[in-house]
Amino acid sequence: MDEGTAASGGCQVIAGNLLGLILGEPDSFMSGMQPQKLNLTFVTETYPPEINGVANTLFNLVEGMWDKGHSIQLIRPSQGRDDRERRRARLEEVKVPGFTLPMYRQLRTGFASPARVRRELASFRPDACYVATEGPLGHAAV
């Protein structure tokens, strides 16, 4: 795909070292470019209050990008009673219905129609999307 709007709902395809640009450390390919404040979408089946490696890693990545001044959209399943709302500027949490897996009761996977995910992406207009997990919610985002 060339630069422009991706078919999945509004993400821009950006060539080069996107992470370096986000972190303010452009490589030689991008020399002279200034760090930009971006709209970043993260799609995941697992996020705190769940406790696992993916949830913890993604939490730290989201927090780090937010600390750098980027606007964040987080699309994830609701995790029940212990799931606290995180309200603050530049952070939009989109919680979709979740269901437990029969053999893994402590994990709730997301269930959202591709049309809903596309609407959420179109309203936020992300510059980049990161699909962290390959479950139903991640599949709906691509």
Side-chain angles (χ1 to χ4, degrees), residues 44-46 50 76-80 83 95-113 134-140:
T44 182
E45 307 285 344
T46 182
E50 289 183 324
R76 66 183 187 90
S78 175
Q79 298 297 335
D83 196 354
K95 293 182 187 175
V96 301
F99 60 93
T100 57
L101 299 174
M103 302 302 243
Y104 195 20
R105 290 282 198 215
Q106 59 272 40
L107 178 66
R108 291 179 62 85
T109 192
F111 183 74
S113 72
E134 301 165 352
L137 186 54
H139 183 62

Side-chain angles (χ1 to χ4, degrees), residues 85-141:
E85 191 70 31
R86 293 168 186 84
R87 292 185 178 263
R88 57 185 170 177
R90 300 186 340 271
L91 176 64
E92 174 187 319
E93 279 193 288
V94 177
K95 293 182 187 175
V96 301
F99 60 93
T100 57
L101 299 174
M103 302 302 243
Y104 195 20
R105 290 282 198 215
Q106 59 272 40
L107 178 66
R108 291 179 62 85
T109 192
F111 183 74
S113 72
R116 175 171 181 201
V117 174
R118 280 192 296 272
R119 279 193 310 273
E120 297 292 350
L121 290 170
S123 73
F124 186 69
R125 300 186 57 157
D127 297 301
C129 302
Y130 177 67
V131 177
T133 55
E134 301 165 352
L137 186 54
H139 183 62

Side-chain angles (χ1 to χ4, degrees), residues 23-89:
L23 297 174
E25 302 164 357
D27 60 17
S28 60
F29 173 76
M30 302 171 97
S31 61
M33 292 182 74
Q34 296 300 311
Q36 300 176 23
K37 300 303 179 201
L38 301 173
N39 288 343
L40 303 173
T41 295
F42 295 87
V43 181
T44 182
E45 307 285 344
T46 182
Y47 199 78
E50 289 183 324
I51 300 171
N52 62 54
V54 173
N56 293 338
T57 299
L58 196 58
F59 174 79
N60 288 323
L61 179 59
V62 165
E63 290 295 304
M65 294 297 100
W66 188 85
D67 287 346
K68 294 275 187 188
H70 302 292
S71 295
I72 305 296
Q73 179 185 52
L74 178 62
I75 302 175
R76 66 183 187 90
S78 175
Q79 298 297 335
R81 289 178 298 200
D82 295 332
D83 196 354
R84 304 229 188 303
E85 191 70 31
R86 293 168 186 84
R87 292 185 178 263
R88 57 185 170 177

Side-chain angles (χ1 to χ4, degrees), residues 7-24:
S8 66
C11 294
Q12 295 293 313
V13 177
I14 301 173
N17 180 358
L18 176 61
L19 186 58
L21 184 61
I22 291 168
L23 297 174

